[in-house]
Amino acid sequence: MINTCTVVLKYIRYTLCFCLLMNVVHAQVKEQGIIPQPYSIQKNGEVFRFSPAVAINIRDGISTDNLIFFNQYFHQLAGYNLSVKKTIAPSIQLSINSNKITEPEGYQLSIASKQINIIGHDQAGVFYGLQSLVQLLHKSNGKITVQGCTIEDHPRFAYRGMHLDVSRHFFKVNAIKKWIDLLALYKINTFHWHLTDDQGWRIEIKKYPLLQSISAYRDETIIGHKKDSPHRFDGKRYGGYYTQEEVKAVVKYAMERHISIIPEIEMPGHALAALAAYPELGCTGGPYKTATYWGIFDDVYCAGNEQTFTFLKNVLDEVLPLFPSKYIHIGGDECPKTKWKTCPKCQRRIKDEHLKDEHELQSYFIGRMEKYLNSKGRQIIGWDEILEGGLAPGATVMSWTGEEGGIAAAKLHHNAIMTPEKYVYLDYYQSLYPSEPLAGGGYTPLSKVYNYEPITKELSGDEAKYIKGVQANAWSEYLASMAQAEHQIFPRILALAEIGWTDKENKSYPNFLKRLRYEQPLLKQLNINLADTFDEITDSVMESADRQIQLALSSTLPGSQIYYTTDGTTPGLKSKKYDKPFLISTSGKIKAAVFSGTKQYGRVYEKDFHLHKAIGKTVTLTNQPQGGYNPGNTFGMVNGVFGSKLYNDGQWYGFNGDDLEAVVDLGKAQPVSQLGINILKYHWQKMWEPTLLTFEISTDGKNYTEVYRQTTFNDNGINAVRANIKTTQARYIRVKGTNKGIIPPGEYIAGAKAWLMVDEIVVK
């Protein structure tokens, strides 16, 4: 275990150098904390003080080879080296005792006035004990101290992972190593490296040189968001790949930090980059081009072609020696069956193998590759679509579309890793402020990541043991630089670290934030471009007892106060002080800001309200909204808040293949002269306008009269339908929208169900 201490010492160097520069910050913090929160901490009131007399004692087979680095780093802080010798006190004792520390990766860290003891169950346990010690180091008035305590600690889950997509945007080796350092510091032990996709092939395969010269590059890259229409491009060739020697170096670097790297070689879908170089592997023979925009593509590996399997086996034969990990990720997600349905070879395969349909053909494909990897002593992991057509024996499911895949796998007694996009996708927006950098469509604030619980109530105690861990995913469509990637990953990956390591009974979001604030200066000192906006204002639009709209504002910043205005002016210390939720009585813009003392923290919060006759009224739906576009009630349809173009704010209601039929009860008959609704049209996100939209009115809820219809919606984005009608008495308003149904041929994701997206039924 030559490298058990190596990286930790690097962190000690970072931390100690940081302490030299940040004494004032440290002095303001009464108590230092550890991320992730340990299993137990018992303080003893003692203090360990570093001095030239302190020595390091390494026992039980732990290598002393790297202690010279420890002294090098320590010297930067203290101006002297710590000696390495067998001594009792004052000293730092490192040892392994699996009988005393029974949990894998577990450790005990004991700090007294004369001695620091770290006992690990294994080498990883010693390593993680040192990570905790790093976070506890404190410098004040030129003295380096550690507060006395005993920490008993071990991880909740064996698998604690972070995924990084390098296909959409390519990150160089130095960036990968930098992020691996941070994963190790926070006890994340798995790095899932997404190496191949439609937009680029990123690993050298010597048997297939065209993967380097063709598949690793694309002609240009989309500008802006995929949902924009028409698409715009930068006209610049883009790409790159890792040589096998570079991969070996990264894998070795990670292993020294007790991180296993799992490579992902995507199959049978997301294959355009590979097909661009080797078109004979596709169903049509091409020609194909490496994708220049983001999305899902119909052209996939041909499952009826033996050359496909020969190619993939040869690729894996070069990949496996580079990665000693037990698992190999084979993707398996988002594989359209369109080409397979019309491909003679695929249809012949279905017939010859006595398969029921194309879904079973995918299962055949995955099962065949699994057998090959099993023959090489490896196991497969795949995204939850590998459940389609039957789960391959021995496969581990990585559940991303929701939790259902992981639940289904666990009930079948298959191992599962929980990574649902709704909770742990780091490429999604982490705030709803308009100035937030471009990101994916979802919304996963730090609090939502932190509060995710991987063991769902649907699983029994016996089934729960098949949930092996949790992972956060960073897809790189909108991570065009290291700085952008870090802004998205940090600090949310620290929340993931605590999900994976800390027992749920020991978790506390306020306590986590307290520890995170202490970590912020260190992360910045390590040149991490973290998002430090998690204490900014968040809101809740609620219905009052008398069915009016009220707005609640909050901030997690300790000792702060919120000031707000209702006339659209910029809030300041002389504005109205927020102390409780308040009613929204007129249309207009609310602005608010957080102040710590006299200093404003973060960005100014803004929200527009549009009041009308249907505010707070009862809405009845014939069909229920689905997926991530089901807010759980109909209040958002009549709350005066319009959904944004980012469709991630919980205001939009989505109907996947189903029609909209909503009835608003105004409570009594009254004059109505304008009816409206907002429709979201983004064909590149499968969001289609209705083929027919109608408004009907009634006084009794039984007999309706149509007063407006519309069949065309021209704007890409939000179509704000406002129908001016002859003033009429009405109590009930019925809105009908006919779903596009199946997306037609030639359109993005043809053959899939269309989403009908609506928000705010307006009555004036």
Side-chain angles (χ1 to χ4, degrees):
M1 177 20 209
I2 291 177
N3 290 301
T4 299
C5 302
T6 307
V7 169
V8 182
L9 304 182
K10 181 177 181 181
Y11 294 134
I12 291 175
R13 176 192 65 181
Y14 285 147
T15 305
L16 300 184
C17 292
F18 157 76
C19 291
L20 284 169
L21 300 173
M22 302 299 294
N23 289 343
V24 174
V25 174
H26 278 216
Q28 293 173 348
V29 181
K30 295 180 180 179
E31 204 172 278
Q32 297 176 348
I34 297 172
I35 298 176
Q37 177 71 15
Y39 180 75
S40 72
I41 302 178
Q42 298 293 328
K43 299 178 183 178
N44 57 29
E46 299 186 40
V47 177
F48 183 91
R49 294 177 172 83
F50 284 88
S51 73
V54 173
I56 305 170
N57 187 3
I58 303 296
R59 295 180 293 173
D60 299 331
I62 297 176
S63 173
T64 61
D65 292 348
N66 297 300
L67 293 181
I68 184 174
F69 296 105
F70 178 88
N71 273 321
Q72 176 184 331
Y73 303 145
F74 191 85
H75 190 274
Q76 294 179 23
L77 171 70
Y80 58 85
N81 293 333
L82 297 179
S83 60
V84 180
K85 62 183 179 181
K86 290 187 177 181
T87 184
I88 298 176
S91 64
I92 302 172
Q93 306 279 336
L94 304 179
S95 62
I96 293 175
N97 188 333
S98 57
N99 293 321
K100 180 179 178 64
I101 312 298
T102 58
E103 297 283 347
E105 299 181 287
Y107 67 91
Q108 180 189 80
L109 169 60
S110 301
I111 302 171
S113 61
K114 299 298 183 183
Q115 187 167 286
I116 296 174
N117 262 308
I118 297 177
I119 306 173
H121 171 86
D122 44 29
Q123 303 283 16
V126 174
F127 181 80
Y128 292 135
L130 284 165
Q131 305 310 300
S132 293
L133 179 60
V134 165
Q135 293 187 56
L136 292 175
L137 289 172
H138 181 77
K139 181 181 175 80
S140 180
N141 298 321
K143 302 295 184 181
I144 308 164
T145 61
V146 185
Q147 296 296 314
C149 63
T150 297
I151 297 175
E152 305 281 351
D153 204 9
H154 61 267
R156 180 186 181 192
F157 292 107
Y159 186 108
R160 307 176 300 281
M162 177 192 145
H163 155 285
L164 180 68
D165 163 29
V166 296
S167 295
R168 276 63 175 226
H169 281 102
F170 178 67
F171 300 101
K172 294 183 178 180
V173 167
N174 65 329
I176 303 298
K177 288 183 175 180
K178 178 182 179 182
W179 297 332
I180 284 174
D181 283 345
L182 271 295
L183 298 184
L185 178 59
Y186 297 108
K187 304 181 177 74
I188 291 173
N189 65 358
T190 307
F191 179 61
H192 173 179
W193 208 357
H194 186 87
L195 291 164
T196 72
D197 217 297
D198 296 298
Q199 293 80 14
W201 183 285
R202 302 294 179 222
I203 183 170
E204 179 188 23
I205 303 297
K206 295 179 180 179
K207 189 177 183 67
Y208 298 106
L210 296 184
L211 293 175
Q212 286 75 260
S213 60
I214 295 177
S215 302
Y217 295 89
R218 56 179 180 258
D219 292 341
E220 56 187 357
T221 302
I222 188 173
I223 298 172
H225 200 282
K226 183 187 75 172
K227 62 183 173 59
D228 298 337
S229 182
H231 286 161
R232 298 175 298 122
F233 296 89
D234 62 9
K236 300 176 182 178
R237 188 170 185 259
Y238 179 90
Y241 64 92
Y242 305 105
T243 68
Q244 292 191 8
E245 290 305 309
E246 287 175 322
V247 170
K248 289 177 185 177
V250 172
V251 170
K252 180 177 183 292
Y253 191 86
M255 289 178 64
E256 291 169 351
R257 290 142 179 82
H258 293 276
I259 291 176
S260 173
I261 296 185
I262 296 177
E264 180 176 356
I265 306 298
E266 183 79 54
M267 61 183 83
H270 288 292
L272 260 183
L275 297 182
Y278 298 96
E280 65 274 15
L281 303 179
C283 289
T284 68
Y288 307 103
K289 289 181 63 178
T290 302
T292 58
Y293 59 92
W294 327 128
I296 303 170
F297 300 89
D298 287 343
D299 288 302
V300 301
Y301 288 119
C302 179
N305 187 350
E306 279 302 306
Q307 285 182 280
T308 296
F309 295 98
T310 300
F311 169 81
L312 290 172
K313 288 177 181 178
N314 288 337
V315 166
L316 290 172
D317 283 346
E318 292 195 35
V319 169
L320 296 182
L322 305 176
F323 296 92
S325 60
K326 175 183 177 181
Y327 293 104
I328 303 295
H329 204 298
I330 48 77
D333 66 313
E334 297 178 328
C335 179
K337 311 301 189 293
T338 307
K339 300 296 184 182
W340 287 359
K341 289 179 179 179
T342 59
C343 173
K345 290 182 180 180
C346 289
Q347 293 303 307
R348 169 69 66 177
R349 180 81 72 187
I350 290 173
K351 181 179 179 180
D352 290 348
E353 298 294 336
H354 308 290
L355 305 175
K356 184 168 61 177
D357 54 22
E358 288 76 22
H359 291 294
E360 287 197 359
L361 180 59
Q362 172 156 328
S363 183
Y364 164 84
F365 193 115
I366 298 299
R368 185 165 170 179
M369 296 310 302
E370 181 191 32
K371 289 178 182 177
Y372 186 74
L373 285 167
N374 290 164
S375 73
K376 302 292 185 177
R378 307 298 183 93
Q379 299 291 323
I380 70 164
I381 292 182
W383 303 111
D384 46 37
E385 287 96 329
I386 67 173
L387 287 160
E388 296 176 4
L391 186 59
T396 294
V397 171
M398 191 165 275
S399 190
W400 76 274
T401 58
E403 297 174 295
E404 294 77 13
I407 293 169
K411 287 184 176 294
L412 292 171
H413 292 184
H414 280 263
N415 291 338
I417 309 298
M418 300 303 264
T419 179
E421 63 173 329
K422 185 177 179 180
Y423 297 100
V424 292
Y425 267 38
L426 305 186
D427 51 302
Y428 283 3
Y429 285 91
Q430 52 198 317
S431 93
L432 297 177
Y433 283 71
S435 59
E436 195 70 12
L438 185 67
Y443 174 45
T444 51
L446 180 65
S447 58
K448 190 173 184 180
V449 176
Y450 185 85
N451 290 316
Y452 174 60
E453 170 50 45
I455 304 296
T456 69
K457 61 184 179 181
E458 290 86 353
L459 297 175
S460 68
D462 182 61
E463 293 166 342
K465 70 183 182 183
Y466 292 98
I467 304 299
K468 296 301 181 182
V470 64
Q471 176 173 290
N473 293 346
W475 299 96
S476 67
E477 286 93 336
Y478 306 107
L479 309 183
S481 66
M482 281 183 66
Q484 284 178 280
E486 289 173 1
H487 177 86
Q488 294 298 112
I489 294 169
F490 299 95
R492 289 185 289 184
I493 193 64
L494 277 65
L496 185 283
E498 194 142 311
I499 298 171
W501 183 277
T502 304
D503 286 351
K504 62 180 180 179
E505 294 81 7
N506 285 348
K507 289 179 61 189
S508 163
Y509 187 60
N511 181 266
F512 171 75
L513 289 181
K514 179 182 178 182
R515 288 175 281 125
L516 175 57
R517 293 185 195 101
Y518 182 79
E519 288 290 303
Q520 277 185 274
L522 172 59
L523 290 167
K524 290 181 178 180
Q525 183 67 20
L526 296 176
N527 295 315
I528 297 296
N529 183 40
L530 80 159
D532 57 0
T533 56
F534 48 84
D535 282 323
E536 288 182 329
I537 292 174
T538 56
D539 68 7
S540 177
V541 180
M542 306 176 295
E543 187 176 15
S544 67
D546 56 355
R547 309 196 77 139
Q548 296 186 71
I549 303 300
Q550 59 180 356
L551 178 64
L553 304 175
S554 64
S555 169
T556 52
L557 187 67
S560 64
Q561 183 60 57
I562 297 173
Y563 293 87
Y564 71 96
T565 62
T566 57
D567 59 1
T569 59
T570 301
L573 293 172
K574 294 183 179 180
S575 302
K576 191 166 184 178
K577 187 176 181 181
Y578 176 83
D579 55 10
K580 63 180 179 180
F582 56 93
L583 292 177
I584 303 298
S585 56
T586 61
S587 297
K589 185 186 292 291
I590 306 296
K591 289 188 175 183
V594 179
F595 286 84
S596 179
T598 60
K599 184 177 180 181
Q600 180 180 321
Y601 170 84
R603 296 167 289 187
V604 173
Y605 160 93
E606 297 183 9
K607 177 144 290 186
D608 291 308
F609 286 88
H610 310 266
L611 300 194
H612 51 84
K613 288 189 174 185
I615 291 293
K617 303 304 182 184
T618 300
V619 180
T620 303
L621 294 174
T622 299
N623 297 315
Q624 295 304 306
Q626 297 160 282
Y629 307 112
N630 180 4
N633 55 53
T634 58
F635 174 63
M637 287 185 163
V638 287
N639 66 357
V641 179
F642 293 174
S644 76
K645 291 183 179 181
L646 300 178
Y647 54 84
N648 62 358
D649 52 12
Q651 295 297 320
W652 290 99
Y653 292 73
F655 301 86
N656 191 215
D658 291 336
D659 295 336
L660 164 71
E661 184 172 332
V663 176
V664 181
D665 181 357
L666 298 179
K668 63 180 180 180
Q670 52 191 288
V672 172
S673 60
Q674 187 186 77
L675 303 172
I677 193 170
N678 296 335
I679 303 289
L680 195 59
K681 175 184 174 181
Y682 284 129
H683 290 183
W684 287 103
Q685 292 293 99
K686 300 187 290 183
M687 299 172 182
W688 281 72
E689 67 277 21
T691 57
L692 174 64
L693 175 71
T694 62
F695 289 105
E696 301 170 347
I697 61 174
S698 170
T699 55
D700 60 7
K702 297 179 181 179
N703 301 297
Y704 283 89
T705 300
E706 182 181 309
V707 294
Y708 180 82
R709 63 170 41 209
Q710 183 172 328
T711 57
T712 59
F713 303 81
N714 297 322
D715 295 334
N716 184 66
I718 298 175
N719 285 256
V721 178
R722 298 295 181 266
N724 295 313
I725 65 173
K726 182 179 179 180
T727 302
T728 309
Q729 290 287 316
R731 173 176 174 175
Y732 299 95
I733 313 297
R734 184 159 67 186
V735 189
K736 291 183 177 180
T738 304
N739 195 297
K740 181 70 175 180
I742 301 301
I743 298 174
E747 298 287 349
Y748 179 64
I749 311 295
K753 292 180 181 179
W755 284 94
L756 173 57
M757 304 286 291
V758 302
D759 171 51
E760 199 65 24
I761 300 173
V762 177
V763 180
K764 293 185 177 180

